[in-house]
Amino acid sequence: MLRVMARKRAVVTGGAGFLGSHLCERLLDEGLEVVCLDNFVTGGAANVEHLRERGPFRLIRADVTDYVHVAGPVDYVCHFASPASPIDYLQLPIETLKVGSIGTLHTLGLAREKGARYFLASTSETYGDPQIHPQPESYWGHVNPVGPRGVYDEAKRFAEAMTMAYRRTHDVDTTIIRIFNTFGPTMRPNDGRAIPTFIRQALHGEPVTVAGDGSQTRSVCYVDDLIEGVVRLLFSDLAGPVNVGNPYELTMKALAERIIALAGSGSEIVYIPRPQDDPTVRQPDITLARTALGWEPKVPLDDGLTRTIDWFRAHLAAIDAAVG
Ligand code: NAD
């Protein structure tokens, strides 16, 4: 007898944001039905408009700190909702703490009610300004809880603890990813993160503003690689936390120089003050992702930057109008 397999159903919070929208698209491509919950505080419906033609996709405007209700069966709950760039979470400090705490509680409740696998989008910022380099998952971090960035870092650390409590106490099938800096098309040009800022400045031939002396390092991952890591972890039975990011590390000055060169720009670099508690180094140890998920980044830095610059160039008029 033929057994009809029901289509799996995923709820993605923050699905109208940068990473969330790329994830929704990928899950639709994997044959899942996707329900996206977003309050559009830092994302927008435009990021997911094209998805309705891609598969069974529903966008619901909802603040997950109020309550979370989704009718019908749910197989996966992916909690991506949170302001994520320093400019955003410094402007929205209480909202950021709420979505990492109450939002995590509510979405864990949904996963428990539905018997779904729960996926927490955590961050390398849980490592703070690290004293161990590169950072393995076993490192507990070096975070200033009362500094301005504490609202984001501690919200995510709380979210991780709550996720583990639901796993241990309520037997919910949970996993935690620690995402390192990711970039790609559809990033907001004015979200204050280095790559979109540098690209926009370079495309306009304006000075490229590097914080401090530019010797602080970052390891940046192209969005397609990151989403591949997300789905591998989602469809695994690992509990995590698992680092996903590109271990290729470079200084901010070198990153600015690459962007200027790839954009074919004549911009010069100027130096601006460095934000408080800005991490000095950042590099993921991805041994666990490599061995347990068979994952590693494939897109070389220059390719990822070129694809992102091309997208920004193609959308520059709209981007400038949005930035004002
Ligand atoms: P983003 O700002 O583009 O997306 C976040 C989305 O969450 C937005 O659409 C926003 O409107 C929504 N949101 C925020 N608060 C909400 C609430 N209370 N209810 C419903 N929706 C809400 O940011 P992003 O870069 O796509 O980041 C997505 C997730 O990945 C975040 O949890 C972030 O902490 C994590 N992360 C991202 C990076 C990165 O490099 N992009 C690195 C580490 C971790």
Side-chain angles (χ1 to χ4, degrees):
M1 195 176 81
L2 266 181
R3 192 163 154 250
V4 180
M5 296 287 284
R7 194 188 275 275
K8 298 269 186 201
R9 197 157 180 250
V11 171
V12 180
T13 75
F18 166 51
L19 293 184
S21 57
H22 284 271
L23 175 61
C24 288
E25 184 168 344
R26 175 65 189 268
L27 292 177
L28 291 170
D29 290 350
E30 295 284 336
L32 277 77
E33 179 182 342
V34 177
V35 178
C36 164
L37 305 181
D38 203 297
N39 68 351
F40 306 136
V41 68
T42 58
N47 281 336
V48 288
E49 246 159 30
H50 61 294
L51 295 185
R52 289 178 206 282
E53 284 135 44
R54 200 107 175 192
F57 177 76
R58 200 164 155 221
L59 173 62
I60 300 172
R61 184 178 199 137
D63 183 333
V64 297
T65 67
D66 291 340
Y67 66 91
V68 173
H69 171 72
V70 176
V74 175
D75 301 286
Y76 302 100
V77 175
C78 304
H79 184 34
F80 277 68
S82 173
S85 83
I87 281 195
D88 289 339
Y89 61 71
L90 294 177
Q91 273 171 3
L92 301 163
I94 296 172
E95 291 85 344
T96 302
L97 281 159
K98 280 177 72 180
V99 75
S101 54
I102 302 166
T104 301
L105 181 69
H106 288 166
T107 49
L108 277 163
L110 177 70
R112 184 182 178 204
E113 174 201 335
K114 305 286 186 183
R117 177 156 165 85
Y118 184 82
F119 185 102
L120 176 68
S122 187
T123 169
S124 58
E125 302 297 333
T126 58
Y127 299 125
D129 192 2
Q131 293 160 313
I132 290 183
H133 193 66
Q135 296 81 54
E137 290 85 353
S138 54
Y139 177 47
W140 291 355
H142 182 228
V143 168
N144 175 4
V146 295
R149 300 173 71 106
V151 298
Y152 181 65
D153 305 357
E154 295 294 7
K156 291 290 186 180
R157 289 166 68 96
F158 178 94
E160 290 195 6
M162 182 62 92
T163 300
M164 291 310 295
Y166 261 66
R167 183 179 185 86
R168 294 186 181 116
T169 311
H170 295 312
D171 222 13
V172 176
D173 174 17
T174 63
T175 190
I176 298 169
I177 188 171
R178 290 197 182 132
I179 300 171
F180 284 65
N181 291 339
T182 301
F183 71 99
T186 74
M187 281 185 102
R188 266 176 34 252
N190 56 342
D191 75 1
R193 289 188 261 209
I195 291 180
T197 306
F198 291 174
I199 291 178
R200 192 163 163 268
Q201 290 167 330
L203 289 177
H204 283 296
E206 294 167 1
V208 170
T209 50
V210 171
D213 64 1
S215 64
Q216 68 276 25
T217 68
R218 294 293 183 272
S219 308
V220 294
C221 185
Y222 188 64
V223 63
D224 291 0
D225 280 334
L226 188 280
I227 296 297
E228 179 64 32
V230 168
V231 296
R232 284 191 191 206
L233 179 57
L234 181 65
F235 298 150
S236 78
D237 56 8
L238 287 189
V242 180
N243 288 339
V244 175
N246 193 327
Y248 178 77
E249 186 184 14
L250 78 172
T251 66
M252 292 306 280
K253 180 166 180 281
L255 181 61
E257 287 166 350
R258 286 312 305 144
I259 288 173
I260 292 168
L262 292 167
S265 166
S267 290
E268 54 176 8
I269 293 178
V270 297
Y271 296 92
I272 58 170
R274 211 167 138 199
Q276 188 185 334
D277 300 330
D278 187 41
T280 306
V281 290
R282 177 71 84 229
Q283 189 196 42
D285 177 334
I286 59 164
T287 309
L288 180 60
R290 268 201 181 106
T291 52
L293 299 174
W295 177 87
E296 60 182 3
K298 297 263 187 297
V299 181
L301 178 69
D302 280 7
D303 287 5
L305 287 176
T306 302
R307 289 185 214 176
T308 311
I309 291 167
D310 288 348
W311 185 84
F312 271 71
R313 194 182 270 116
H315 295 85
L316 200 55
I319 284 169
D320 287 345
V323 173

